[in-house]
Amino acid sequence: MENKFKYTSDNKRYHTLTYYYKEKFNAKVCKVSLNANFTCPNIDGKVGFGGCIYCSKLGSGDYAGNPNESLITQFEKGKELMQRKWPNAKFIAYFQANTNTYAPLNKLKSCFEPFIERDDCIGLSIATRSDSITNLCLDYLEDISKRTYLIVELGLQTIHEKTSKLINRCSTLDNFDNMVRKLKERNINVVVHIINGLPYETEEMMIETVKHLNNLKIDGIKIHMLGVLKNTPLEKYYHNHKFHILTKEEYVNIVVKQLEYLNEEIVIHRLTEDPDPNDLIEPTWLTKKFTILNEIDKIMSTRDLYQGDKLK
């Protein structure tokens, strides 16, 4: 079937990140993952202890740089590796591990400013929590956005309060919604992380999370599959309760349905988790990233589906 979707340059039937970057920067764009050695408010006791139950010891920064090295060294090493494959690529400094606005303003400036000034860095992507952006930080993020390309990545995971308590998110949906609105009022790009397969959530609940995001006018989304990793509270919970882990087929079908309900202007930054195989307990199929992506493409093509179809 002919692909008529306007936000892609290949066979994808959703708004691809490759297309978005090509239109905006006319180049291949790579994100260099960094670890600035921040912590989180639900680890250090400000709002909770232990962190989210699925989070690895590296604070979801398993592929970020070495925190014992300077941020500049981390960036240059990551850039060098990527240039071997994409010699003409442009680069974004991606502050990935833990909560990257959870610090005094002078600390944030010492981390972010060196990359704003670099000619080989076209922008910043800052992963954080909605409850960890002060008014002073908001002002600073707005200032950054006027000087370089900026994305703020917020972890939502789910809109459902019962699940939120179970995973120890320690922040409310109202807080999340309000922060997204504040960021958008300042014309800051917002990308939201959600997780499919959280304990006891139904397909309908996962689709409701996506529907909710349409109302917030977000710019992008990362869809993950829950992975049970070694040495996490989730590992212990899984062994004790044996909640249902989505099969690959279930996951793929849920993602396709979520895409149908997602506004076509929202950029798809990720459609599956990418765990370290050495740390992964379940599901083992999660290591087959390209198989998952190909299955999503196949179903959407076979059924002649496109992102946003359900909204039309």
Side-chain angles (χ1 to χ4, degrees), residues 11 37 58 86 94 96 139 162 214 225:
N11 67 326
N37 209 21
L58 295 175
W86 300 289
Y94 178 24
Q96 181 182 19
D139 291 340
K162 187 174 181 179
N214 281 330
M225 168 60 197

Side-chain angles (χ1 to χ4, degrees), residues 54-69:
Y54 50 78
C55 208
S56 71
K57 58 183 179 295
L58 295 175
S60 297
D62 300 83
Y63 294 100
N66 182 348
N68 296 318
E69 296 177 336

Side-chain angles (χ1 to χ4, degrees), residues 4-9 14-17 19-20 264-265:
K4 301 176 182 178
F5 194 68
K6 61 184 178 180
Y7 295 112
T8 183
S9 52
Y14 51 84
H15 195 150
T16 66
L17 185 59
Y19 174 86
Y20 172 78
E264 65 179 15
E265 295 181 356

